[in-house]
Amino acid sequence: MSIPSISTSIKVQLEDFDFALEVDNLEANNSTDGAVVTFIGRVRDNNDGLKVEHLFLEHYSGMTEKCLADIVEQARAQWQIGNVCVIHRYGQLNIGDKIVFVGVTSKHRKDAFSAAEFIMDYLKVSAPFWKKEQTEQGERWVAAKQNDQLEANKW
Amino acid sequence: MTINVLFFAAFKEQLDCAELQIEAATVQTVADLQSMLIAKGDTWNKVLNTPSLLTAVNHTMVDSEYEIKAGDEVAFFPPVTGG
């Protein structure tokens, strides 16, 4: 049996990402893990009853990367997971654009499913990103949702 | 030596300020720094008294009693909305 692969990749970037390439990277040189779980978050065309035209995402460079790496380490402490990739975009994003990618491998599926959900739930409430929406009625900063905090608290 | 203070998102826009420097000798805690900034005017008062305001020092979340020192980077921002 090969040595398990446990790489962590954190990317905070303006540009889009290639889903298939990211999955290939998670699977490369990794013959010990049978499960690959991925999540993609995209820009919706509506929020809180208003039509959204596009989003602008601001972040705190330096803290963002540290925060995402800390979340992955917390996941590693709780589940047996292999390769992890987290990508989060910033800048202007249009309807349907990919915002965030989380990919996790594990030997069996449950660890990868749980870890991917945990990483997303914690990212939502702790990573320093802020969304500003351009709506049909002008621009507005998106308010934090209490439900996101409840989702994170369940872990 | 100074303390570097950063503001993000809605706070940055309301204050029309992304970054400023404070003389480190004049403040001991995050709360002291908030009080000093509140004295700058009505908008500063409103932003720095926001109930949901979050504070990070050197990229780690802290509370208002946290002691800051020369060379620290202190950031004030609203609740996060990424993902």
Side-chain angles (χ1 to χ4, degrees), chain A residues 20 55 102 144:
Chain A
L55 277 188
V102 173

Side-chain angles (χ1 to χ4, degrees), chain A residues 4 16 25 35 38 43-44 54 69 79 89 111 119 130 138:
Chain A
D16 196 11
N25 289 341
T38 60
V43 182
R44 273 180 293 126
H54 61 253
W79 296 283
R89 296 177 65 197
D111 285 314
I119 290 167
W130 301 274

Side-chain angles (χ1 to χ4, degrees), chain A residues 93-110:
Chain A
L93 298 173
N94 298 316
I95 305 307
D97 282 356
K98 300 193 284 294
I99 307 173
V100 59
F101 172 86
V102 173
V104 181
T105 72
S106 63
K107 198 170 173 184
H108 303 292
R109 72 184 182 282
K110 284 201 187 282

Side-chain angles (χ1 to χ4, degrees), chain B residues 6-32:
Chain B
L6 307 179
F7 302 95
F8 289 95
F11 292 174
K12 181 172 74 179
E13 283 187 354
Q14 287 164 34
L15 298 170
D16 193 23
C17 175
E19 182 171 0
L20 59 84
Q21 280 77 40
I22 295 281
E23 233 351 276
T26 55
V27 292
Q28 284 195 327
T29 64
V30 167
D32 293 343

